[in-house]
Structures are given as C-alpha cells and as structure tokens.
Amino acid sequence: MRRKQGVLLPVEADILAAGLQLRRSGQARFHGFQLAKEIADHTGAGKLTAHGTLYKALGRLQDAGLLASRWEDPHAAAAQGRPRRRLYEITGAGERALSAWRLQQAPQQASARPGWEPT
Amino acid sequence: MTATERTVALAARWVACYTRRLPTRVAQARRDELASDLWEHSHDTSERTVSQLWVALSIARRVVCGVPADLSWRFAQLVSAQGGVAEHRVLRQEAVMTMSEATRVWVRQHLRTRKCKGCSERYARKYTYCPVCKAAKGTDGTRPAGFGGWA
C-alpha cells in the first residue's frame, strides 16, 4: 500500500523536529548519528533509531525536498581521523511540512508524544 | 578485537551485503554514510562511559531492527535502477539471485568439509582425521582392536 503524497510518517516528523532542535542549539547542519541521538533524547525512547529506518527516512525526506544534504570535505574528515560525514539541513519546505503535521496531530500528540515542544 | 569492533565489522559486512549489485553511486553513498554513523557511534563519549559491551549491543540492535527497512530500500533502488521493469520481475530476479548465491555457498561449504561420524563436527577435507575427536576419516571414532593409540 502506498502512502499519500505529502503525508509525514512519525519517524520523519521526529527527524524534522530533531533537526530544528539542533538548529536552535546552533548546529544548522547535522549528521545521521547526531539526529538519532537527538531523537532518542527527546522522544524519551532512550533507544537510537535503527540504521535502516533512519537512513531510508532521510532519503525520502531529501527526495521530497524537506531536507538538503552535502558531503563533508574528505580532507577535513581525514585530518580528524574519521570517515567523512553526510551533513543534512532542514529546508523551508521541511519546516512548513512539520508545522502542518503538528497541526494535524495536535490532539493525539498532546497525549501520546509528549517529547517535542511545538514552536 | 573488542566487542564494539566486532559488531562494527559485522554491521559493515551487512551493509556491503545489501548494497551489492546496486548502482555504484547509490551503494557507495550508503556505505560511506553507514561507515560514518558506525564510527560516530563507536566513538560516542556519552555511551562510552557505560561500557564497550553496551555500545556493541546498541549497534547490533540498530542493525537488526533496521533490516526490513534496509531490504525494502534495496528493493526500491533495484526497481528505480531498472527503470520501466515491473516490480514483480525485480523481485523474482532478487529471489533467484539470492537462492543461487545461497546454494553456491552451501555447496562450497559441503565440498570443502566433511562431517565426522564420531562427534558430528564438520572439518576440512584436507585433514585425514577429525581435529575435535581425532577419529580417522570415515570412522566413528571407536578404536579398532589392538590399536595402540592416536597419532
């Protein structure tokens, strides 16, 4: 069964919310593991999102234009002795999609998903 | 090799497995992204304070829980790479390839090893006796009458 165009899944909304939270804390660009940690911290789940779930959702969000990404300079990463990161940032469309999702989910979110504060 | 390093190596092998036969650019991007994630996770100071085993288990959980999404992502990439090909044909190709690879691995394993009649362990055919129970090739490990001892 295919999902309706323009509808966010809970994991996608969590990613966008975590991205906005990171941006508010001064990190406009973030990598996958940072997102997984931010989601785990704020949803209260305590467990990091699975690799497959996270990167598949990131790909979908990017295809939909809600996220943009670029690869880090490999020399900068090599200088720090680690693999290069793929850095994501939330687009304007991503912010609007999250706001719309929150409006739709507001009644359920108040009871079931207390972790994220709407802005 | 620590538990974390072993889990990271296993996770990398799984990524290599489900990205095989995908377009190079897509496969490489996924491998690089996961290599970065695994590195960040294994070097994360907040989890390191707990224990290496905890980090290893956390990585393993993320790999295992992500398997269905990994497989559906692979299927979507195969469908998009073979633009215009019906999904059921791609699925059939995948099933045939997976079956043939599994058969190849199984046949190779069974051609290179034999099962010991004495202890039921498998051991390489190059040995003339079982390295576990020392039974000679083709015997069940019972000593023939007048046999002085194992070499």
Side-chain angles (χ1 to χ4, degrees):
Chain A
M1 195 174 75
R2 296 206 186 279
R3 178 156 61 105
K4 266 198 292 181
Q5 198 79 23
V7 175
L8 284 183
L9 292 177
V11 67
E12 294 167 344
D14 284 345
I15 288 172
L16 292 174
L20 285 178
Q21 187 70 31
L22 284 167
R23 189 160 79 183
R24 276 196 291 273
S25 64
Q27 291 170 299
R29 292 196 174 99
F30 40 84
H31 53 85
F33 180 67
Q34 236 175 333
L35 266 178
K37 273 184 71 178
E38 188 68 23
I39 293 169
D41 288 348
H42 284 85
T43 55
K47 289 174 181 168
L48 297 169
T49 313
H51 294 137
T53 313
L54 178 66
Y55 291 105
K56 193 177 166 200
L58 284 171
R60 278 196 309 263
L61 290 171
Q62 205 181 343
D63 291 344
L66 308 184
L67 281 181
S69 81
R70 66 173 179 81
W71 283 97
E72 189 185 32
D73 177 22
H75 300 295
Q80 293 178 34
R82 57 171 174 73
R84 66 185 179 141
R85 294 165 173 166
R86 187 175 194 167
L87 299 169
Y88 294 90
E89 64 181 317
I90 295 186
T91 62
E95 277 186 72
R96 287 192 293 278
L98 182 63
S99 304
W101 186 84
R102 278 173 172 160
L103 283 175
Q104 282 175 354
Q105 300 288 317
Q108 298 101 309
Q109 204 171 21
S111 58
R113 303 179 65 80
W116 298 107
E117 291 295 322
T119 52
Chain B
M1 205 179 199
T2 64
T4 306
E5 287 167 346
R6 268 199 298 272
T7 315
V8 166
L10 275 173
R13 280 179 70 179
W14 165 241
V15 179
C17 175
Y18 75 78
T19 53
R20 76 194 192 286
R21 291 187 285 108
L22 288 182
T24 314
R25 190 182 55 80
V26 175
Q28 196 56 51
R30 176 55 76 105
R31 286 185 207 131
D32 287 351
E33 190 151 33
L34 264 293
S36 167
D37 187 300
L38 291 167
W39 190 92
E40 301 289 347
H41 197 163
S42 57
H43 289 78
D44 182 37
T45 47
S46 62
E47 283 211 350
R48 269 194 149 188
T49 53
V50 187
S51 80
Q52 282 288 311
L53 184 62
W54 176 260
V55 178
L57 287 174
S58 173
I59 293 173
R61 193 198 62 77
R62 290 183 75 202
V63 173
V64 172
C65 293
V67 166
D70 287 332
L71 293 177
S72 84
W73 173 84
R74 171 180 171 77
F75 181 64
Q77 296 303 320
L78 282 170
V79 170
S80 106
Q82 302 183 27
V85 176
E87 288 187 5
H88 70 272
R89 284 192 62 186
V90 176
L91 195 58
R92 197 168 58 198
Q93 278 174 15
E94 269 293 278
V96 169
M97 291 297 286
T98 307
M99 288 287 283
S100 67
E101 278 187 33
T103 308
R104 189 175 56 80
V105 169
W106 187 87
V107 166
R108 206 168 61 179
Q109 172 79 359
H110 281 72
L111 286 178
R112 285 186 181 174
T113 60
R114 69 162 60 86
K115 192 174 179 181
C116 174
K117 288 183 180 173
C119 67
S120 301
E121 285 292 321
R122 296 201 74 82
Y123 63 98
R125 281 183 180 273
K126 64 182 178 182
Y127 296 118
T128 53
Y129 62 91
C130 171
V132 179
C133 72
K134 311 289 185 208
K137 178 174 74 177
T139 67
D140 61 1
T142 51
R143 296 182 182 195
F147 186 80
W150 300 110

